[in-house]
Amino acid sequence: SQMQQDWARRYRGPLPYGDAGAGSVCVDDSGNVYVTGAVNIASGAKCTSIKYNKYGDSLWVRDYQRPGYNYNYGNDILLDDSGNVLVAGAESVLKYDRIGNLLWTAYHSADYTKIALGLDGFIYAAGIGSGRYVVSKYDRNGNLYWRSSIIGAYKLKDLEIDKDGNILILGYSLYYITDYDYRTIKFTTNGRVIWDIHYNGIGPPPANDNPYSLTTDNDANVYVTGASQDQSSIHNCTTVKYDSSGNEI
């Protein structure tokens, strides 16, 4: 049978020229849909998060602007086990309850692009700040537990938690000889780096290896995929598997 469109909903900002765009989406067990993104305003952009029911009716819209900061973006969104809404944004992590009340905000000079919920119930946010990969761990009340930063960052692409609760980030880093490579870093739940590995493809240097996504399995193996140049400098879909110790399989 053919797929049928149930609904489509559009949202735009208050200005005639106010572009709006979504950064991420998630759903709950009742079919409610949660979207976060940004809406242009006269002073820059505001982080806008929306909750729709399963029929596409808007249940609430919440705007957030950090005091003194004009460019607020919602980059990633997820729900905790109580149905609260967590948003990773430009220099901010936000937590709303299920009816849209803002419970807390956490600030740091990093553009958080990914957020994850750990096995220990803590919240992990990852992004880029001052040329470094930044990973922050917060408790349920928004208190910072630890923050780790690693030099040599260009873009943060993904964040995952493995079966043991360790934190994995996938980045895009520039190296002097090999140019842009996949970079995968594994942290303990206490923020210590377990391993830090980069993948340089088979293309002649300077070759561009651009990672897109990361996942992990029940044996804590790590899978990274993206686009990597071959000997003809053509980008191929390239997937790399590491064991739990960071050895390429």
Side-chain angles (χ1 to χ4, degrees):
S1 62
Q2 291 185 332
M3 295 181 63
Q4 300 291 324
Q5 178 178 302
D6 283 343
W7 50 263
R9 297 293 182 266
R10 304 176 69 87
Y11 182 84
R12 60 171 295 172
L15 301 177
Y17 52 86
D19 291 337
S24 185
V25 63
C26 67
V27 297
D28 65 20
D29 292 338
S30 299
N32 298 307
V33 181
Y34 303 79
V35 177
T36 194
V39 174
N40 286 345
I41 55 176
S43 59
K46 59 184 178 180
C47 172
T48 299
S49 301
I50 307 170
K51 179 179 180 178
Y52 300 100
N53 66 17
K54 63 181 179 180
Y55 304 108
D57 302 316
S58 178
L59 300 181
W60 49 257
V61 178
R62 296 293 182 267
D63 294 325
Y64 177 76
Q65 292 177 261
R66 176 183 173 182
Y69 189 74
N70 292 332
Y71 295 95
N72 301 273
Y73 302 95
N75 295 319
D76 200 12
I77 190 168
L78 62 77
L79 306 178
D80 69 12
D81 52 11
S82 299
N84 299 304
V85 183
L86 299 165
V87 175
E91 300 200 357
S92 300
V93 177
L94 314 176
K95 183 176 182 178
Y96 297 96
D97 65 19
R98 63 177 63 215
I99 60 174
N101 296 310
L102 182 62
L103 300 178
W104 53 258
T105 62
Y107 302 139
H108 182 60
S109 57
D111 182 13
Y112 288 119
T113 53
K114 293 292 180 179
I115 193 165
L117 196 63
L119 303 182
D120 52 8
F122 283 79
I123 299 155
Y124 297 88
I128 299 289
S130 301
R132 294 172 174 264
Y133 295 111
V134 177
V135 180
S136 298
K137 179 176 181 175
Y138 300 96
D139 67 18
R140 293 176 181 269
N141 297 315
N143 299 304
L144 180 67
Y145 193 68
W146 55 255
R147 177 174 292 124
S148 181
S149 64
I150 307 292
I151 63 172
Y154 180 63
K155 289 184 179 179
L156 189 286
K157 293 299 188 79
D158 213 351
L159 166 69
E160 287 286 344
I161 310 298
D162 74 9
K163 72 176 186 66
D164 300 314
N166 298 307
I167 303 96
L168 294 155
I169 64 170
L170 175 64
Y172 187 36
S173 289
L174 176 63
Y175 294 88
Y176 178 70
I177 297 176
T178 59
D179 206 57
Y180 289 101
D181 291 345
Y182 298 9
R183 188 173 180 187
T184 310
I185 307 173
K186 182 176 181 177
F187 301 85
T188 67
T189 57
N190 291 320
R192 179 179 62 84
V193 174
I194 302 172
W195 47 259
D196 180 349
I197 297 173
H198 74 101
Y199 171 79
N200 175 43
I202 60 176
N208 185 2
D209 307 300
N210 186 358
Y212 294 153
S213 184
L214 170 152
T215 193
T216 182
D217 65 18
N218 290 333
D219 294 319
N221 296 309
V222 180
Y223 305 81
V224 177
T225 195
S228 175
Q229 287 182 311
D230 62 19
Q231 295 96 331
S232 301
S233 298
I234 303 299
H235 281 95
N236 305 159
C237 175
T238 304
T239 304
V240 184
K241 179 180 180 180
Y242 302 105
D243 66 18
S244 61
S245 299
N247 300 303
E248 187 177 324
I249 300 175

